Amino acid sequence: MDGIGVLMTCPMFAHLEQELAKRFKLYRLWDYPSPRQFFETHSGSIRAVVGNTKVGADAELIRALPRLEMVATYSVGLDKIDLGKCREKGIRVANTPDVLTDDVADVAIALMLGVLRKVCVCDAFVRSGKWKSRDFGFTTKFSGQSVGIVGLGRIGSAIAKRAEAFGCPISYHSRSEKPRVSYRYYPSAVELARHCRILVVACELTEETRHIIGREVLDALGPEGVLINIGRGAHVDEPELVSALLEGRLGGAGLDVFENEPEVAEELLRMDNVVLQPHVGSDTVETCTVMADLVVANLEAHFAGNPLLTPYRLLITAFLVAAAVLASPPDLQPLEAVHASSSVVLLRPFAHHHHHLVSLAAHAWDHRVPTDLSSSSAAAFLRGARLIGLVASSGSPVMTSVGPSPTGHGSSTQSSLWSGVKIEAACDFTVAAALAKASWKDSGGSAEPSRPSTSRRGGRMTSRILDGSDSFAASMDSPRSLGVVGLSWL
Amino acid sequence: MSSLPEPGSGRPDVLVHRFRSFDLPFHASLRDHFTILDPWTDSPPDEPAHAFLARRAGRARALVCVGPTTLGADTLRLLPSLRVVIGTSAGVDHIDLRECSRRGIAVTNAGAAFAEDVADYAVALLLDVLRRISAADRYLREGSWLKTGNYPLGSKLGGKRVGIVGLGNIGSQVAKRLQPFGCDIAYNSRSKKPSFPFPYHATVHDLATNSDVLILCCALTEETHHMINREVMTVLGDQGVIINVGRGSLIDENELVQFLVRGELGGAGLDVFEDEPNVPKELFGLDSVVLSPHRAVITPESFEAVRELTVSNLKAFFANEPLSCLVRLE
């Protein structure tokens, strides 16, 4: 494999660089005076790009590399990768999910302890020699303090588990309540802030969560409250945070991220009631090594023709499919695709009860990132994506067929969209009872998206390649049923 | 000089024994129930403490010893009626336990009242050392993130083998807190605790051989003095970390400094030192250590818990009821 050209976008981790250089012909983008100069000489050699959250793979880079097959990012976050472009060109994407959960959760707890018990201030006190002449004074007890978590994904849950061992009561806010969780849920960040002493930001950065911590939340947290941010700087309105701290409206803060790293507001640098970290959330030798090894393993798998270990995958609702391939009926809202970091992409459903479906699926398949898609780009969105599951509703004739159908709604767009799609699993189940109770907790286990291969009530397993004329109508036998279908592109 | 109630006025005499600079923050609530005798406030300025004790404290059956004020045999000898010493700290190494044992004087400590705060602090120090929290905070504040770039990598807590030395109140609370972090916990203690589900090692050396981190939560006694010595630090190794929330003299401090300065020990989080408030200045230049001015117990909640415990133990004593947190006197 050492003839395969791999481009690394910026310095990340020496171990990663070494391992890549051992196996591939490694090009370092930063060795060249400008990307353009690199492209002029070597663009034809590059079959894979290794990026991170500083320098990823934007449209310009992707366009410049005609032989690009894969982008492997040394991060969980994909915000620096033009996913649409990758999908369009059939470029596979791999990231490093899961491996840094523990490290980031550990820093959250370290920051809480650091702020309340003033560990860093104490250390400075001793180093300055002041202990010889005076005593330090009280610090605040940590055990038993109420902790509120914004975003109860993997990292949020890991933080909760740790804080519980200190006897901290846990509450949370997320886009929707999680069904199998015993912590108290609040429908807004402000409500959550009102009811906890320590507020931790642990959600993904999306359009919705940008500045989710603003003046209102900070005031609700209050003069005894402490804000911990291990998400992204943009989650917090930083000037508001600074003035809340300066004016004593907020008790303290532990921050690992800032809006404009590596710049940090001057005022924060002088405060005793804050702990500041230079974005070290996952910066341990152990985790960086695991991440690097994962990047290398994904690349090796791709070039050996094997399945990727941690591909970024998508899952799409039939609404998207139906609306994309059909001229959207006027009552359909503009499409909004919602990704999960591991597998789920759901469109915002147009029927109110389908929100339950969305939240259930989101819980099963973790957090989501919305992206706006117009219906015309949805087809492109589908094409080139690797799907592992699909949540479909057959609640109306329009939705009845997941695939191209002979019902008269068909079009050439439809067949081209679905050709090459391989169905992995299908299941069919009724959730009418659950919907009637308007609560997924009472669904009696009849909705189990975590077992997509289970088929009930007339559903059947299929595994064939749609050639543009197949119909799925047969697997959705009841107009009130919801189907879960697995699709994947080859 | 405060006016003392007449002897026999009904409120029993309780002697408060403290360094002049160590205040007992809950004097007031003790005076509600007892007649407090305090040489620093109750004796004439020209009367030495031992003379006051001899004159006035002859009938005192209870003494509150504000930790770590030394309570030696010479003071005890002046108190013929003494039956109980109520310590206000977790450690009782400043009290002459042998003399108390000889005289049949019961001793209580306040370990249970502090356990959560000390355990929290031990975990805080450990996280700080491994993840370089204080060092990275300094780095950022001095402008290095802008000038130099990313701070060097720290070390993951999950997967570390943590050896707890001393599995009393504090040690068991530490173990409880570390579990969700994914640590492998083992311990050494005076005796094996069958109810504790983690591996037991009969010696500290054995524990250190099988650990990446040692957390010292035990009392300072003749046996435990300098238990962390050159041999132990050698087997712990250059990635090894020591956290001390016990007493400074559990560690041979001179050796510790040498190991740290030479990079033969990975790091240390120290809340206590052999000669407080003096701290070896060689440590001030190291990013691998986190230093703390004996703060593990200093929270309002702990102080309140000690107050409650002190008052309740005194009441129990005078009512002939069982005492809590009795120290085992060998």
Side-chain angles (χ1 to χ4, degrees):
Chain A
M1 281 192 194
D2 47 311
I4 295 175
V6 172
L7 174 68
M8 202 170 176
T9 60
C10 64
M12 291 166 213
F13 184 36
H15 169 79
L16 174 59
E17 225 177 289
Q18 285 153 22
E19 295 302 306
L20 289 171
K22 273 188 214 166
R23 292 162 174 77
F24 307 104
K25 179 149 176 46
L26 181 66
Y27 296 85
R28 296 168 181 77
L29 191 58
W30 65 97
D31 278 350
Y32 297 79
S34 73
R36 177 113 46 87
Q37 280 178 276
F38 172 79
F39 299 143
E40 271 162 22
T41 36
H42 298 291
S43 62
S45 312
I46 304 302
R47 290 174 64 190
V49 165
V50 173
N52 67 358
T53 53
K54 280 203 207 67
V55 185
D58 59 11
E60 190 193 329
L61 183 106
I62 295 170
R63 261 198 301 270
L65 303 172
R67 291 182 64 212
L68 185 62
E69 299 167 24
M70 174 155 166
V71 174
T73 183
Y74 175 66
S75 68
V76 170
L78 294 145
D79 37 289
K80 289 284 165 63
I81 300 179
D82 192 327
L83 293 171
K85 205 101 208 120
C86 288
R87 263 176 245 119
E88 196 186 296
K89 290 175 166 276
I91 295 168
R92 300 168 93 183
V93 176
N95 62 346
T96 61
D98 286 345
V99 292
L100 49 67
T101 302
D102 286 337
D103 274 347
V104 177
D106 290 355
V107 168
I109 302 291
L111 288 171
M112 293 183 206
L113 283 162
V115 174
L116 265 74
R117 296 305 303 271
K118 295 186 156 29
V119 180
C120 307
V121 184
C122 279
D123 178 272
F125 180 79
V126 174
R127 281 175 204 255
S128 69
K130 291 192 187 113
W131 192 20
K132 294 220 190 149
S133 48
R134 57 190 174 85
D135 220 11
F136 185 81
F138 282 111
T139 60
T140 305
K141 181 169 180 150
F142 174 66
S143 275
Q145 300 286 3
S146 51
V147 173
I149 304 176
V150 180
L152 203 66
R154 286 192 199 91
I155 293 174
S157 304
I159 295 171
K161 224 176 34 138
R162 285 154 173 72
E164 278 186 304
F166 292 82
C168 298
I170 311 290
S171 49
Y172 72 104
H173 164 66
S174 60
R175 208 180 332 234
S176 55
E177 195 166 356
K178 311 251 172 192
R180 281 183 289 278
V181 154
S182 59
Y183 312 133
R184 174 106 190 239
Y185 173 75
Y186 289 96
S188 71
V190 178
E191 272 304 296
L192 181 66
R194 233 169 247 143
H195 293 94
C196 66
R197 176 120 192 224
I198 302 173
L199 185 69
V200 190
V201 181
C203 54
E204 272 194 80
L205 182 62
T206 66
E207 280 307 303
E208 286 168 6
T209 62
R210 191 175 180 279
H211 281 198
I212 191 171
I213 310 297
R215 187 178 179 115
E216 216 193 331
V217 171
L218 295 169
D219 282 345
L221 199 45
E224 303 288 311
V226 174
L227 177 74
I228 305 292
N229 190 3
I230 46 93
R232 285 280 179 273
H235 279 124
V236 175
D237 184 336
E238 212 158 275
E240 282 292 350
L241 172 66
V242 172
S243 55
L245 287 164
L246 282 172
E247 292 164 26
R249 286 181 287 115
L250 181 68
L255 309 169
D256 187 38
V257 286
F258 305 87
E259 285 206 85
N260 192 22
E261 294 169 17
E263 285 168 23
V264 175
E266 270 292 322
E267 299 92 326
L268 290 175
L269 302 180
R270 293 191 287 267
M271 289 181 197
D272 256 5
N273 53 347
V274 303
V275 177
L276 309 168
Q277 296 289 284
H279 205 149
V280 296
S282 59
D283 280 5
T284 64
V285 174
E286 292 85 347
T287 293
C288 288
T289 305
V290 171
M291 282 168 65
D293 291 346
L294 197 47
V295 167
V296 172
N298 273 311
L299 287 168
E300 287 191 306
H302 169 75
F303 290 113
N306 294 331
L308 300 185
L309 282 79
T310 51
Y312 177 65
R313 299 202 242 201
L314 306 167
L315 175 145
I316 296 182
T317 66
F319 306 131
L320 165 61
V321 173
V325 301
L326 309 164
S328 305
D331 59 2
L332 274 181
Q333 294 171 15
L335 299 176
E336 187 181 357
V338 175
H339 307 254
S341 70
S342 55
S343 57
V344 180
V345 167
L346 299 169
L347 278 200
R348 189 212 304 246
F350 59 87
H352 76 274
H353 57 264
H354 295 121
H355 285 289
H356 294 287
L357 179 62
V358 171
S359 65
L360 185 71
H363 174 69
W365 283 301
D366 229 324
H367 39 273
R368 304 169 288 167
V369 177
T371 309
D372 277 327
L373 288 180
S374 67
S375 52
S376 58
S377 66
F381 182 90
L382 285 181
R383 201 169 298 119
R386 175 121 183 259
L387 308 181
I388 60 163
L390 177 139
V391 177
S393 166
S394 59
S396 79
V398 156
M399 306 304 153
T400 302
S401 65
V402 172
S405 107
T407 60
H409 291 286
S411 71
S412 58
T413 325
Q414 220 172 345
S415 49
S416 61
L417 186 68
W418 287 103
S419 66
V421 174
K422 172 186 164 199
I423 292 92
E424 284 180 345
C427 89
D428 188 355
F429 53 91
T430 302
V431 293
L435 292 174
K437 288 188 185 178
S439 162
W440 282 101
K441 285 187 187 127
D442 301 311
S443 67
S446 62
E448 287 283 2
S450 56
R451 296 206 308 267
S453 58
T454 305
S455 65
R456 315 173 209 255
R457 283 187 44 107
R460 49 171 219 265
M461 291 286 291
T462 60
S463 180
R464 21 189 207 109
I465 316 252
L466 294 181
D467 65 1
S469 62
D470 285 17
S471 161
F472 250 123
S475 74
M476 309 291 182
D477 64 354
S478 154
R480 306 272 318 272
S481 71
L482 294 170
V484 178
V485 182
L487 301 170
S488 69
W489 253 259
L490 293 172
Chain B
M1 183 165 133
S2 67
S3 65
L4 301 169
E6 288 298 313
S9 65
R11 275 186 283 172
D13 288 354
V14 173
L15 183 60
V16 170
H17 181 71
R18 60 183 178 95
F19 290 136
R20 186 211 287 267
S21 57
F22 278 29
D23 202 4
L24 185 65
F26 42 88
H27 251 127
S29 60
L30 288 184
R31 283 185 198 275
D32 286 344
H33 308 284
F34 312 104
T35 302
I36 299 300
L37 308 174
D38 185 342
W40 297 112
T41 58
D42 299 332
S43 73
D46 51 343
E47 181 180 37
H50 65 262
F52 171 81
L53 292 180
R55 177 174 66 81
R56 187 66 188 80
R59 273 201 306 276
R61 294 200 289 138
L63 178 151
V64 173
C65 180
V66 180
T69 313
T70 314
L71 179 61
D74 50 349
T75 308
L76 290 167
R77 233 169 269 131
L78 299 169
L79 306 166
S81 307
L82 193 63
R83 306 306 315 135
V84 71
V85 170
I86 311 284
T88 63
S89 58
V92 288
D93 47 283
H94 50 282
I95 298 173
D96 191 333
L97 298 178
R98 195 171 289 145
E99 179 68 6
C100 289
S101 177
R102 192 185 69 75
R103 295 251 317 258
I105 298 170
V107 179
T108 67
N109 72 356
F114 298 121
E116 286 190 336
D117 275 327
V118 180
D120 289 356
Y121 210 71
V123 176
L125 288 173
L126 179 56
L127 277 167
D128 195 320
V129 172
L130 287 177
R131 298 302 300 273
R132 314 286 199 181
I133 306 291
S134 288
D137 179 278
R138 274 199 296 279
Y139 180 86
L140 191 156
R141 285 180 204 251
E142 64 196 23
S144 299
W145 196 19
L146 274 165
K147 284 194 293 255
T148 313
N150 283 343
Y151 189 75
L153 300 178
S155 185
K156 183 175 174 150
L157 176 54
K160 291 282 186 293
R161 299 167 301 165
V162 176
I164 299 178
V165 181
L167 204 67
N169 287 313
I170 296 171
S172 48
Q173 295 285 347
V174 171
K176 177 174 156 219
R177 280 150 177 70
L178 286 179
Q179 280 188 273
F181 289 89
C183 300
D184 288 328
I185 296 168
Y187 72 104
N188 163 256
S189 205
R190 250 181 323 207
S191 56
K192 191 167 175 186
K193 318 263 167 177
S195 58
F196 203 62
F198 304 113
Y200 170 76
H201 293 268
T203 66
V204 173
H205 190 276
D206 210 31
L207 182 65
T209 308
N210 294 287
S211 300
D212 305 304
V213 174
L214 285 183
I215 304 187
L216 310 182
C217 308
C218 57
L220 179 64
T221 65
E222 270 170 25
E223 290 87 46
T224 62
H225 183 266
H226 281 198
M227 77 193 317
I228 308 302
N229 54 23
R230 182 186 312 170
E231 285 72 41
V232 170
M233 287 187 250
T234 304
V235 294
L236 206 51
D238 63 4
Q239 301 296 309
V241 171
I242 298 177
I243 303 296
N244 192 1
V245 291
R247 283 285 177 271
S249 296
L250 291 171
I251 305 180
D252 181 340
E253 201 163 276
N254 289 332
E255 282 291 346
L256 176 70
V257 171
Q258 293 311 308
F259 269 74
L260 287 166
V261 164
R262 292 192 301 248
E264 288 165 15
L265 186 66
L270 308 168
D271 185 44
V272 286
F273 303 87
E274 291 214 75
D275 179 33
E276 295 170 20
N278 296 306
V279 175
K281 51 184 173 335
E282 297 93 319
L283 298 179
F284 293 167
L286 297 177
D287 271 0
S288 56
V289 305
V290 178
L291 307 168
S292 169
H294 204 151
R295 289 296 98 179
V297 306
I298 314 294
T299 67
E301 289 82 353
S302 270
F303 270 50
E304 174 56 27
V306 172
R307 187 196 68 77
E308 246 181 68
L309 182 59
T310 303
V311 171
S312 89
N313 256 345
L314 283 170
K315 282 185 177 169
F317 170 74
F318 287 114
N320 283 318
E321 279 160 23
L323 304 173
S324 36
C325 302
L326 272 167
V327 174
R328 192 175 89 192
L329 301 174
E330 334 252 318

